[in-house]
Amino acid sequence: MAGLERWFDDGRIFSSQDVGRGKPAPDLFLYAAEKMGVAPERCVVVEDSPLGVQAAVAAGMDVLGFTAMTPAERLQDAGQLFLPHGRLGRPARLTFVMPSSGRSFLPAPPARTRS
């Protein structure tokens, strides 16, 4: 995995062992959406492999290409790419890159609320 597993409980982690065909078939992502009761078109997949991006696109899901370990050019089919700045154990500053234009942007920081 891409080092993100600590952010998800076991009931939200799925593998190719759960389905008949692995990536690039969309089976795994469709299975996960079904198990969580979410329509595929309302899902966002974080993926760090070209075959995973291909599978998520085939499932009709939005895809964020996680480029921490895979060069961005190998994830060009993802709708957006993101690069982590800092370690994932702390709040990460992310840079998103639109593959079609090559332009990058930083998302707006979350709004702070007064307590």
Side-chain angles (χ1 to χ4, degrees):
M1 291 184 70
L4 300 173
E5 64 272 7
R6 69 174 169 247
W7 301 103
F8 301 95
D9 62 45
D10 288 340
R12 305 247 178 192
I13 296 176
F14 304 93
S15 85
S16 61
Q17 295 174 352
D18 296 324
V19 295
R21 299 181 303 163
K23 302 169 189 175
D27 302 20
L28 176 60
F29 294 123
L30 294 171
Y31 174 80
E34 179 184 332
K35 287 295 183 186
M36 292 190 297
V38 179
E41 63 273 10
R42 296 190 44 93
C43 294
V44 175
V45 174
V46 175
E47 194 39 81
D48 69 336
S49 75
L51 291 178
V53 168
Q54 207 177 336
V57 168
M61 300 177 177
D62 289 326
V63 188
L64 298 176
F66 186 59
T67 61
M69 296 181 278
T70 305
E73 58 273 3
R74 294 193 60 216
L75 302 176
Q76 289 301 302
D77 290 337
Q80 293 184 356
L81 303 175
F82 69 98
L83 313 160
H85 297 282
R87 288 181 274 164
L88 292 175
R90 295 189 250 163
R93 179 177 175 197
L94 302 175
T95 300
F96 288 87
V97 179
M98 298 299 293
S100 58
S101 67
R103 293 185 5 210
S104 64
F105 64 95
L106 295 174
R112 293 182 184 237
T113 58
R114 293 182 190 214
S115 41

